[in-house]
Amino acid sequence: MENLKQYIEDNKQRFLDELFELIRIPSISSLSEHKQDMYKAAELWKKYLLDAGADEARIYDTEGHPILYAEKIIDPKKPTVLVYGHMDVMPVDPIDLWESEPFEPEIRDGKIYARGADDDKGQAFMHTKAFEFMVKTNQLPVNVKFMIEGEEEIGSPNLTKWCAEYKDMLEADIILVSDTGMIAQDVPSITTGLRGLTYLQIEVTGPNRDLHSGLFGGAVANPLNVLADIIAKMTDEDNRVTIPGFYDDVLEASDEERKKLNQAPFSKEAYKKAIDVEELDGEKGYTTIERTGIRPSFDLCGMWGGYTGEGAKTVLPSKAYAKLSSRLVPNQDHEKIGKMIKDHIEKIAPKSVKVEVTPLHGGQAYVCPIEIPAYKAAEKAFEEAFGKMPVPVRSGGSIPIISTFDKVLGTKSILMGFGLESDAIHSPNENYPLFNFYKGIETIPLFYKHFAEMK
Amino acid sequence: MENLKQYIEDNKQRFLDELFELIRIPSISSLSEHKQDMYKAAELWKKYLLDAGADEARIYDTEGHPILYAEKIIDPKKPTVLVYGHMDVMPVDPIDLWESEPFEPEIRDGKIYARGADDDKGQAFMHTKAFEFMVKTNQLPVNVKFMIEGEEEIGSPNLTKWCAEYKDMLEADIILVSDTGMIAQDVPSITTGLRGLTYLQIEVTGPNRDLHSGLFGGAVANPLNVLADIIAKMTDEDNRVTIPGFYDDVLEASDEERKKLNQAPFSKEAYKKAIDVEELDGEKGYTTIERTGIRPSFDLCGMWGGYTGEGAKTVLPSKAYAKLSSRLVPNQDHEKIGKMIKDHIEKIAPKSVKVEVTPLHGGQAYVCPIEIPAYKAAEKAFEEAFGKMPVPVRSGGSIPIISTFDKVLGTKSILMGFGLESDAIHSPNENYPLFNFYKGIETIPLFYKHFAEMK
């Protein structure tokens, strides 16, 4: 594409200023007090898409947060790319671990530090700017549609229904998504698989009020101890989930597949050092890459109960809570597994407490075929921009809506991710290197070029 | 004693008003922001003791919260009673479960609702008013000393040293304490045994920051899962602590002792109903009374980590915490057991995490002899005030300082408690029935009378 690098160079400060404006809106989808911020983010992004050259842009209300849609149809007979992204972000706690304000982006050591800098404002915004470049330089080779939602971080509860309702409007040849990572700045990669997810909340009630742990301790079941026991019982010494049937639907990878998977560049020492742990731990018999790529997980995302303040308050608490998430692999159904976990917990809970298990979120795993033109186009785009072929990888993360797109719209997705593991998404000090931001804007138009040529 | 009931009747509103003033001072010892409130409480209580007739009253600074001392010496050759109480209270969380403001006392259904209404402002204040009655009616038969501390709820970290320093000043024949309960309003009881306590905080660190539970889940040890596992491993299916040596020093009660203990009035159905649980649970082979009276406990007082807010945030947390308390029985040394638990946790923790165990609090168990004159005097006082002999009971609670008094001052303590199980001490909606408050003020002077006669 002509003038690509020059256009980015000439506009780099403006691109950043515009992104910062978006980041400053604290669009946290899981906290109801930020409902209006989601509309603010949608309005601003709508303006950016219209300025970039969209024919039209509309904000759709849902039962939850809004969805932004925009399009530019250059010729109905030409192929169409549907860009998916999300404007909502994760909560910022623990807030005291942030080195700068989460919603006031700051550049340090060549990286943008802010909530949403990578996930997904930073990455999705690259598409807006790549689109702008193609329109302004008259090089847009296909039709483009944008679908930017506000509920990705809470499991996209309203997007499926909306997609079904506007199926015709959303018709496209491929969905293009930047909401994943790459191996390193000099090792581009394309995510070809995503894990599914089931997420449950457990509430254990013991006595009807907090009790004096001296007067009652030893004679009344303690809900925190009971909950710890329930959680502990659900995995064994080999870190395998003990719930009967849990692994039944897992497609075991062949020896050859596993061999290929383990050929991806990976340094165990560097991995351990980056997160500062002495030993890695996971399901026996699998490598780290396999444990996150092709095996399900079983993690507490939160647990709380009793006294959590300063000092030594003694109490036998009435309640204990946990948030439990299990990442699932292709062929495991999230609803089936969610119900299996719920039933199992209710079965093993002792009669001395009451247990309530509530499913909060779920999504299916996804596998992207690597033979389709869009995948080949993405490969070529990365090769041209980075000077080397991208590696196909299975990610441990989940974007539940991707498998839903396949099912509801009948359209495959290409996951062109530009994030790095060190971006600390979902964590304090989330960041996104300026290199990746600008390199993404440079790579995306090349995808369009190769995709148009191949179709 | 002459005019006892009349004096209480004539002054009942004033007694209540004065107590309410004390309760309104939020003297929470575990929270450093309330340091000045402890001094406010000490100053007010000092005034009350001087008004009641103390010769002198002084506030002593310590490295932590202050100690209030007062005395009235009528004749150095006469016996001396040392009254112990505490002006500090527990924190009030969870605040949303309170039906009225914790520090604005309210009378509902004949009970005072407020933090400290029973423990221990309400109970210790009865001694101030009983003392006032005896002084004002010229019936005080012995010398009286008061020692009101501000750190009981955090384990009295500075009182031992202070007692050693002022040993001569604190010389007494008996220590009188109202900081325990009685079986029911029509079943008076005297606590003859208290459990000891060791209290530890556990901090488990996994990765150096919160991680994305999708990208890392399954390959990196989750500190919450690890902590749940550690806790679960420390007790077995019979609810016995599995730490080697934990029960070694426990004095096993004889069959006869156990038989006697189980003769105390106790309704399992009423007990279960009061706390709304379907089944009781505890160490196999022991009754509920035994489980709290003569057996150690092992309770989580708190546990927390990861995301604890609204909705379904996915995260693999960096940290997990627990507060662990074990109530101990006579002959178990709290420092030995504390170290045993700490060493055991450090031993069983996997190398995939870092574990830090910090002892926060501890105290020895206590047994009160029932043959001494002071015990007999207390029996007679209860009998006279309530019309029936009190039952000796072993309480599951701990007042660590009581065994310290025995060791440092060489003085035994009599635990004349007037609280009820339904007083919800340490819990939301702590309360103290007006009946118990006034009946306590009536019973205490009778103790002095009988004690003076017996010595």
Side-chain angles (χ1 to χ4, degrees):
Chain A
M1 292 220 162
E2 311 243 324
N3 216 22
L4 174 55
K5 290 190 183 185
Q6 191 58 47
Y7 189 88
I8 296 170
E9 186 57 37
D10 292 347
N11 292 283
K12 63 195 302 188
Q13 187 58 46
R14 179 174 56 83
F15 289 175
L16 214 54
D17 291 343
E18 290 176 3
L19 172 62
F20 281 17
E21 279 306 301
L22 258 185
I23 288 175
R24 287 193 185 101
I25 302 167
S27 47
I28 302 170
S29 50
S30 64
L31 302 177
S32 41
E33 72 245 41
H34 290 286
K35 189 156 178 57
Q36 283 315 308
D37 291 319
M38 213 62 65
Y39 278 94
K40 279 187 204 162
E43 288 291 349
L44 181 58
W45 212 319
K46 177 182 165 186
K47 180 181 171 299
Y48 287 159
L49 282 163
L50 289 170
D51 289 352
D55 299 331
E56 48 184 322
R58 291 184 291 271
I59 294 168
Y60 288 82
D61 291 325
T62 73
E63 280 174 39
H65 300 304
I67 297 165
L68 171 61
Y69 174 81
E71 62 176 35
K72 181 166 188 74
I73 308 298
I74 55 165
D75 177 353
K77 276 170 275 163
K78 290 208 172 186
T80 300
V81 172
L82 173 59
V83 175
Y84 165 77
H86 64 92
M87 55 194 162
D88 63 318
V89 298
M90 293 293 278
V92 297
D93 50 59
I95 182 77
D96 49 321
L97 294 185
W98 284 80
E99 281 168 33
S100 55
E101 289 296 316
F103 294 109
E104 186 46 60
E106 194 175 288
I107 294 178
R108 297 196 299 274
D109 307 325
K111 297 170 181 180
I112 307 161
Y113 280 86
R115 173 59 84 230
D118 166 337
D119 181 15
D120 184 44
K121 287 175 177 168
Q123 291 216 54
F125 191 66
M126 298 179 319
H127 287 268
T128 312
K129 296 296 105 177
F131 169 65
E132 176 193 305
F133 158 74
M134 292 184 286
V135 174
K136 302 294 181 195
T137 61
N138 295 309
Q139 297 184 80
L140 182 65
V142 296
N143 303 309
V144 186
K145 296 174 178 178
F146 281 88
M147 161 171 65
I148 316 278
E149 72 150 322
E151 299 186 312
E152 197 273 340
E153 299 294 9
I154 53 171
S156 309
N158 293 292
L159 191 59
T160 306
K161 192 178 150 199
W162 186 83
C163 282
E165 197 174 340
Y166 295 98
K167 197 178 163 178
D168 293 344
M169 177 175 90
L170 299 170
E171 205 185 329
D173 296 273
I174 195 72
I175 299 171
L176 190 58
V177 185
S178 291
D179 195 17
T180 50
M182 54 199 286
I183 292 173
Q185 284 183 334
D186 58 352
V187 188
S189 53
I190 300 174
T191 301
T192 57
L194 290 166
R195 287 198 284 189
L197 170 73
T198 185
Y199 192 109
L200 306 137
Q201 180 153 326
I202 311 169
E203 177 178 346
V204 179
T205 306
N208 56 358
R209 61 175 198 277
D210 285 1
L211 299 179
H212 190 290
S213 70
L215 302 181
F216 293 88
V220 175
N222 180 319
L224 274 173
N225 289 67
V226 169
L227 183 52
D229 206 43
I230 288 173
I231 296 296
K233 275 186 181 142
M234 287 194 285
T235 52
D236 66 15
E237 293 293 313
D238 294 337
N239 287 306
R240 277 180 68 87
V241 176
T242 59
I243 302 168
F246 184 81
Y247 295 98
D248 282 2
D249 296 335
V250 172
L251 292 179
E252 298 289 340
S254 68
D255 287 352
E256 207 197 310
E257 280 173 290
R258 291 177 65 180
K259 201 176 153 194
K260 231 180 196 171
L261 204 60
N262 285 302
Q263 281 167 350
F266 176 74
S267 157
K268 198 170 170 180
E269 287 315 308
Y271 188 91
K272 289 198 295 185
K273 203 180 157 197
I275 56 174
D276 193 22
V277 298
E278 255 185 63
E279 272 188 17
L280 296 176
D281 203 14
E283 190 182 350
K284 202 177 168 178
Y286 293 92
T287 65
T288 296
I289 287 180
E290 289 167 350
R291 285 166 177 171
T292 59
I294 57 167
R295 302 299 298 172
S297 72
F298 194 82
D299 274 302
L300 284 175
C301 293
M303 179 163 166
W304 70 103
Y307 184 64
T308 59
E310 187 188 345
K313 173 172 167 170
T314 55
V315 62
L316 196 167
S318 166
K319 298 267 192 184
Y321 301 87
K323 290 179 192 268
L324 178 70
S325 115
S326 179
R327 300 282 170 165
L328 307 173
V329 294
N331 208 41
Q332 279 188 301
D333 180 76
H334 78 88
E335 288 186 355
K336 183 176 165 187
I337 297 285
K339 188 168 184 320
M340 193 183 282
I341 298 175
K342 177 178 157 74
D343 290 350
H344 186 73
I345 291 172
E346 286 167 359
K347 193 181 141 200
I348 67 173
K351 279 195 181 158
S352 50
V353 298
K354 297 173 196 78
V355 170
E356 204 175 320
V357 183
T358 314
L360 287 187
H361 180 172
Q364 310 295 24
Y366 175 74
V367 182
C368 174
I370 59 174
E371 311 83 21
I372 57 174
Y375 183 83
K376 301 284 178 201
E379 264 188 339
K380 285 190 168 234
F382 272 110
E383 192 186 5
E384 204 174 330
F386 286 80
K388 53 174 94 163
M389 281 287 277
V391 182
V393 295
R394 288 282 197 103
S395 164
S398 309
I399 313 177
I401 200 66
I402 300 294
S403 59
T404 308
F405 291 152
D406 197 3
K407 205 168 139 195
V408 176
L409 301 177
T411 315
K412 297 284 176 199
S413 297
I414 294 292
L415 303 168
M416 281 183 90
F418 294 90
L420 295 177
E421 206 169 278
S422 54
D423 290 357
I425 64 168
H426 295 202
S427 299
N429 304 311
E430 176 177 349
N431 64 85
Y432 194 40
L434 292 169
F435 172 85
N436 298 50
F437 178 63
Y438 293 122
K439 203 70 178 174
I441 301 174
E442 183 187 329
T443 310
I444 294 163
L446 299 173
F447 168 82
Y448 282 79
K449 181 183 81 172
H450 293 296
F451 183 62
E453 286 167 3
M454 286 178 185
K455 281 299 285 191
Chain B
M1 290 222 163
E2 311 243 322
N3 217 23
L4 176 54
K5 291 191 182 183
Q6 192 57 49
Y7 189 88
I8 295 169
E9 186 58 35
D10 293 346
N11 293 283
K12 61 193 305 185
Q13 188 57 47
R14 179 175 56 83
F15 290 175
L16 214 53
D17 291 344
E18 290 176 3
L19 172 61
F20 281 17
E21 280 305 303
L22 259 185
I23 287 175
R24 287 191 186 103
I25 302 166
S27 47
I28 302 170
S29 50
S30 64
L31 302 177
S32 42
E33 73 244 42
H34 289 287
K35 186 152 181 61
Q36 283 314 310
D37 291 318
M38 213 61 64
Y39 277 93
K40 279 187 203 163
E43 288 290 349
L44 181 60
W45 213 319
K46 177 182 166 186
K47 180 182 173 298
Y48 287 160
L49 282 164
L50 288 170
D51 290 351
D55 299 329
E56 47 185 324
R58 289 184 292 273
I59 294 168
Y60 289 81
D61 291 325
T62 73
E63 279 176 39
H65 299 305
I67 297 165
L68 170 62
Y69 174 81
E71 63 176 34
K72 182 167 187 73
I73 308 300
I74 57 167
D75 177 352
K77 276 170 276 166
K78 292 208 171 184
T80 301
V81 171
L82 173 59
V83 175
Y84 166 77
H86 64 93
M87 55 193 162
D88 64 318
V89 297
M90 293 293 276
V92 297
D93 49 58
I95 184 74
D96 50 318
L97 295 183
W98 285 81
E99 281 170 33
S100 55
E101 289 296 315
F103 294 109
E104 186 46 60
E106 192 174 289
I107 295 179
R108 299 196 298 273
D109 308 323
K111 297 171 183 178
I112 307 160
Y113 280 85
R115 171 59 83 230
D118 167 335
D119 180 17
D120 183 45
K121 286 175 178 170
Q123 292 216 54
F125 190 68
M126 300 180 317
H127 287 268
T128 311
K129 296 296 105 178
F131 169 65
E132 174 193 306
F133 158 74
M134 293 185 284
V135 174
K136 302 294 182 195
T137 61
N138 294 311
Q139 297 183 83
L140 181 65
V142 295
N143 303 309
V144 186
K145 296 175 177 177
F146 282 87
M147 162 171 63
I148 317 279
E149 73 150 320
E151 299 186 311
E152 197 273 340
E153 299 293 10
I154 52 170
S156 308
N158 293 292
L159 192 58
T160 306
K161 192 179 153 198
W162 186 83
C163 283
E165 194 174 343
Y166 296 98
K167 196 177 164 177
D168 293 343
M169 178 176 90
L170 299 170
E171 205 185 331
D173 295 274
I174 194 74
I175 298 171
L176 191 59
V177 185
S178 292
D179 195 18
T180 51
M182 53 197 288
I183 292 173
Q185 283 184 335
D186 58 352
V187 187
S189 53
I190 300 174
T191 300
T192 59
L194 290 166
R195 288 198 284 188
L197 171 72
T198 186
Y199 192 109
L200 307 137
Q201 180 153 327
I202 310 168
E203 177 178 345
V204 179
T205 306
N208 56 357
R209 62 176 197 275
D210 286 3
L211 298 179
H212 189 292
S213 71
L215 302 183
F216 293 88
V220 175
N222 180 318
L224 274 173
N225 288 68
V226 169
L227 183 52
D229 206 45
I230 288 173
I231 297 296
K233 274 187 182 143
M234 287 194 286
T235 51
D236 66 14
E237 293 293 314
D238 294 338
N239 286 307
R240 278 180 67 85
V241 176
T242 57
I243 302 168
F246 184 81
Y247 294 99
D248 282 2
D249 296 335
V250 172
L251 292 179
E252 297 287 341
S254 68
D255 286 354
E256 208 196 311
E257 280 173 291
R258 291 177 65 179
K259 201 176 154 192
K260 231 180 196 170
L261 201 62
N262 286 302
Q263 281 166 352
F266 176 76
S267 157
K268 197 170 170 180
E269 287 314 308
Y271 187 92
K272 289 197 296 186
K273 203 179 157 195
I275 57 174
D276 193 22
V277 298
E278 255 185 62
E279 272 187 18
L280 296 175
D281 202 14
E283 191 184 349
K284 200 176 170 180
Y286 293 91
T287 65
T288 296
I289 287 179
E290 290 168 350
R291 285 167 177 170
T292 59
I294 58 167
R295 301 299 296 173
S297 72
F298 194 83
D299 274 303
L300 284 176
C301 292
M303 180 163 166
W304 70 104
Y307 183 66
T308 60
E310 187 189 341
K313 174 174 165 169
T314 55
V315 63
L316 195 167
S318 166
K319 298 268 192 183
Y321 301 87
K323 290 180 192 268
L324 179 69
S325 114
S326 179
R327 300 282 171 166
L328 307 173
V329 294
N331 208 41
Q332 279 188 301
D333 179 76
H334 78 88
E335 288 186 353
K336 183 176 165 186
I337 298 284
K339 189 169 182 321
M340 194 182 282
I341 298 175
K342 177 179 157 73
D343 290 349
H344 186 74
I345 291 173
E346 287 168 357
K347 194 180 140 200
I348 67 174
K351 279 198 182 153
S352 51
V353 298
K354 296 174 196 79
V355 170
E356 203 175 321
V357 184
T358 313
L360 287 187
H361 180 174
Q364 309 295 22
Y366 175 75
V367 182
C368 175
I370 60 175
E371 313 82 22
I372 58 174
Y375 184 83
K376 302 283 179 202
E379 265 189 338
K380 285 190 167 233
F382 271 111
E383 191 185 8
E384 205 174 329
F386 285 81
K388 52 174 92 163
M389 282 285 277
V391 181
V393 294
R394 289 281 196 104
S395 165
S398 310
I399 313 179
I401 200 67
I402 301 295
S403 59
T404 307
F405 291 152
D406 199 2
K407 205 168 139 194
V408 175
L409 301 176
T411 315
K412 296 283 176 199
S413 297
I414 295 291
L415 303 168
M416 283 183 89
F418 295 91
L420 296 177
E421 206 169 279
S422 54
D423 290 358
I425 65 170
H426 294 201
S427 298
N429 304 310
E430 176 177 349
N431 64 85
Y432 194 40
L434 291 168
F435 171 85
N436 298 51
F437 178 62
Y438 293 122
K439 204 69 178 174
I441 301 174
E442 184 186 329
T443 309
I444 293 162
L446 300 171
F447 167 82
Y448 282 80
K449 181 183 82 171
H450 293 297
F451 183 62
E453 284 168 1
M454 285 177 185
K455 282 297 283 189

